[in-house]
Amino acid sequence: MTTASAVFLASIPSPDRGVWQLGPFPLRAYALCIIVGIIVAIWWGDRRWVQRGGSKGSIVDIAVFAVPFGLVGGRLYHVITDNQLYFGEGRDPLRALYIWDGGLGIWGAIALGGVGAWIACRRKGIPLPAVADAVAPGIVVAQAIGRLGNYFNQELYGGPTDLPWGLEIYRRVDPNNPLVEDPLNGVAVNNVPVEIVHPMFLYELLWNLGVALLVVWADRRFRLGHGRAFALYVAGYTAGRFWIELMRTDQANHILGLRVNVWTSLILFAGAVAYFIVARRRGPREEPETLRDRDADTEAAEDTDVTDNVEDSTEPAGEKERHDDTPADATPGGDDRRAEPGA
């Protein structure tokens, strides 16, 4: 067995495709991973919110605002920081709208998604920092799931490696025209890799799961509140994203010799650490009663009033009249005779 064959057998194979055709409809692995990640983040976030004293279903309601805002923000960040992919000679600007082809910047998603969450929190009368603490582990797990989409797309990888966990990259072509290469939507011509590279998607996936565990542990151990659990997530994630970006070899814009996302990670890490320290002055975690949904409390009060009215209306008429006619000076035993004068 040749050395090359041994390396191939010890490496991680890539999927032969990332898109399956169901009649006229394409089923994209990247989109499925994003959807599954969002569902997990909402489900886990809602459970954590209830455990902290919030109203069940509040995170789902907030997600109605946050998710669409986040998707738009994530795409905008990607298009702005990688504008050379969509604008210029030979480029098609309309492809900037093809979100299903991949390309979401997490910081654009967090920033604009946070705006959507803030709007929803204002409507519900609950504090945004507390919501951020509840959803923080779910968000980073959703990011880990989303990285599986990069695996199917054969993207987000580093330089060549001979490590046993190297990722095999295949040549993909348009299934309708084998002469046209199509790395994103095509099908692999065979299982012979054109190169074996560092699986950066896998490194980030594992790092993200570690950050989720760190946030959950610290939140339980120190009862973090006022956005400190979310700040810990940002600091932990950006610490990993910093070195991961340094290992990536795909095309990206640079500032002073470093990739844009390296600078973004540095700035956000510093900001997250500063907030984590400063927010400690705000005291212990928010009291459960401050996390109750304003609408839920109103509905509960209305339900109580309705129940009281129903109980009053179902009391027997005779009983109600007897209680109303009972003399004020009646004896406890029911003897309502009046005392005779001079007795």
Side-chain angles (χ1 to χ4, degrees):
M1 180 181 295
T2 65
T3 302
S5 299
V7 171
F8 289 167
L9 291 175
S11 54
I12 303 173
S14 287
D16 68 336
R17 72 191 70 194
V19 183
W20 296 265
Q21 289 295 141
L22 299 179
F25 304 103
L27 182 63
R28 301 178 183 275
Y30 182 86
L32 289 177
C33 291
I34 295 297
I35 292 171
V36 171
I38 291 173
I39 292 173
V40 169
I42 295 173
W43 170 79
W44 194 8
D46 200 58
R47 284 177 59 89
R48 283 174 49 83
W49 182 247
V50 172
Q51 291 170 356
R52 298 168 91 89
S55 304
K56 183 176 178 58
S58 292
I59 300 301
V60 178
D61 295 338
I62 293 171
V64 172
F65 288 82
V67 171
F69 275 72
L71 291 175
V72 172
R75 188 60 176 179
L76 283 174
Y77 182 90
H78 166 71
V79 172
I80 292 172
T81 56
D82 291 298
N83 59 84
Q84 74 280 355
L85 300 177
Y86 307 100
F87 305 101
E89 186 177 355
R91 300 295 183 178
D92 181 6
L94 288 179
R95 296 192 67 83
L97 303 176
Y98 295 178
I99 192 172
W100 52 85
D101 281 347
L104 291 173
I106 181 60
W107 299 120
I110 293 294
L112 210 53
V115 173
W118 175 78
I119 294 173
C121 287
R122 290 271 295 179
R123 292 165 60 94
K124 288 180 162 295
I126 54 181
L128 176 61
V131 171
D133 286 338
V135 301
I139 289 177
V140 74
V141 168
Q143 290 176 246
I145 296 172
R147 285 311 181 198
L148 290 174
N150 299 126
Y151 170 59
F152 280 93
N153 280 358
Q154 283 196 151
E155 57 189 4
L156 186 52
Y157 51 83
T161 181
D162 58 359
L163 292 171
W165 55 82
L167 177 68
E168 299 178 1
I169 299 298
Y170 304 140
R171 177 173 174 265
R172 289 178 177 177
V173 299
D174 185 339
N176 298 319
N177 186 355
L179 298 178
V180 177
E181 292 196 11
D182 190 351
L184 190 63
N185 299 308
V187 179
V189 295
N190 52 47
N191 292 328
V192 178
V194 295
E195 58 180 336
I196 298 179
V197 297
H198 280 283
M200 305 312 301
F201 83 90
L202 181 61
Y203 296 167
E204 185 172 331
L205 185 157
L206 295 175
W207 184 274
N208 289 350
L209 294 179
V211 171
L213 292 175
L214 172 65
V215 172
V216 170
W217 172 81
D219 194 33
R220 292 178 177 175
R221 175 68 177 80
F222 304 106
R223 291 185 56 79
L224 301 177
H226 305 288
R228 298 183 75 214
F230 188 82
L232 180 60
Y233 143 64
V234 174
Y237 174 73
T238 52
R241 186 66 183 264
F242 174 81
W243 64 265
I244 288 172
E245 284 291 329
L246 292 177
M247 291 184 65
R248 289 177 63 171
T249 58
D250 53 313
Q251 185 179 9
N253 290 322
H254 290 69
I255 299 177
L256 299 178
L258 293 177
R259 297 166 67 99
V260 170
N261 282 328
V262 172
W263 289 109
T264 303
S265 297
L266 283 172
I267 294 171
L268 290 175
F269 176 82
V273 171
Y275 182 90
F276 186 85
I277 296 172
V278 172
R280 185 178 183 181
R281 302 174 184 174
R282 303 186 65 180
R285 179 184 292 178
E286 297 88 345
E287 294 297 329
E289 55 267 21
T290 67
L291 309 182
R292 296 291 298 175
D293 188 336
R294 178 192 300 155
D295 296 337
D297 289 342
T298 301
E299 292 175 2
E302 292 176 350
D303 290 342
T304 301
D305 291 341
V306 170
T307 301
D308 292 341
N309 292 335
V310 170
E311 291 177 351
D312 290 343
S313 63
T314 55
E315 185 177 5
E319 288 291 323
K320 190 172 189 304
E321 291 176 0
R322 188 174 66 83
H323 292 325
D324 292 342
D325 293 341
T326 300
D329 57 352
T331 61
D335 186 357
D336 58 354
R337 291 174 297 175
R338 295 181 181 277
E340 293 292 331

